[in-house]
Amino acid sequence: MNICVYCSSSEAIDPSYLELAAAVGAALARRGHGLVSGGGSISCMGAVARAARAGAARTIGVIPRALSALEITDGDADELIVTETMRERKRLLEIRSDAFLALPGGLGTLEELLEMWVGRVLGMHAKPVVVLDPDGLFAHLRAQVDELVRRGFVRPAARNALGWANTVEAALDLLEAGVPQSRAAASPIAGAT
C-alpha cells in the first residue's frame, strides 16, 4: 500500500514526535509499504520520509510551490510533485494513497484528517483512516466527537469510521485491515469512548 502520513512540519515540537515519525517511516518500510507525504524535509515530515527511504520504501512527496521554501522541499523523494495550490496538493495526496495515517500535528494535520474522515463517512472513498496518538494529544478531539455523538450531531457509525491507535504497530495493523478498531478500546480521557 501507499500510505499517506499527515504530520507536523513545526520545528518547535518535542523531539519525541520526530522519533515517532521516524518509527512510522521505518515500520512502513519494514512492512513493504510506500510513503506519500506533504513533500517537506523538516520536522516530522522529514523524519518519516528519511526513515522510510532508509528502509528502502518508495517515497512520494506532494508540496505546493508556495510552501516549498517554508517546509524545505524533500529533494530526496523518489517522486516529488510540486503543485500550484493546496487543493491540488490534497487531491493528489488522496489519489496517490491507499490509506491515511495522522500523527500528532497542528492545524494542517487536523484539517487533512477531518477531510479524509468525512470523505470516508460520506462514501467518497473507502480507504482506511487512522490516528496514531501515543500520548493523548488528540484526546480532547476524540472526546469532542463523542460529545457530538451523544448530542445527536454525529452518528455513531461516522465516529467509528476513524481508527485510533496508541502504537505504530497497532496503527499499521488497522490500516492493513482496512477497518477501524472497535470502540471498546481505551480512550486517553477517562469515560471517553
Side-chain angles (χ1 to χ4, degrees), residues 10-138:
S10 172
E11 295 187 286
I13 60 175
D14 189 281
S16 64
Y17 294 117
L18 301 176
E19 293 167 11
L20 176 67
V24 167
L28 288 176
R30 189 171 52 255
R31 289 183 179 216
H33 301 303
L35 170 70
V36 181
S37 74
S41 65
I42 60 173
S43 190
C44 292
M45 269 203 278
V48 70
R50 284 188 297 276
R53 280 192 295 274
R58 178 171 165 73
T59 61
I60 301 168
V62 184
I63 191 166
R65 192 173 312 283
L67 290 183
S68 61
L70 293 174
E71 295 178 351
I72 308 174
T73 302
D74 182 6
D76 293 327
D78 293 300
E79 182 179 355
L80 181 65
I81 303 166
V82 179
T83 66
E84 293 304 319
T85 68
M86 282 293 283
R87 288 179 191 266
E88 185 182 2
R89 175 201 216 181
K90 292 193 308 180
R91 183 181 70 80
L92 289 173
L93 289 172
E94 180 178 359
I95 289 170
R96 300 298 296 269
S97 303
D98 301 305
F100 305 93
L101 177 61
L103 305 187
L107 294 177
T109 299
L110 284 173
E111 191 260 344
E112 291 163 331
L113 165 63
L114 290 172
E115 182 174 355
M116 289 302 100
W117 183 9
V118 170
R120 182 176 166 115
V121 168
L122 296 178
M124 296 177 168
H125 71 82
K127 301 171 184 181
V129 184
V130 171
V131 175
L132 173 54
D133 190 18
D135 66 358
L137 178 70
F138 291 136

Side-chain angles (χ1 to χ4, degrees), residues 144-170:
Q144 179 62 50
V145 173
D146 286 337
E147 182 65 12
L148 292 170
V149 169
R150 190 183 74 73
R151 294 187 187 209
F153 288 101
V154 173
R155 292 176 290 114
R159 172 189 58 199
N160 297 342
L162 179 67
W164 292 86
N166 295 330
T167 68
V168 173
E169 297 304 322

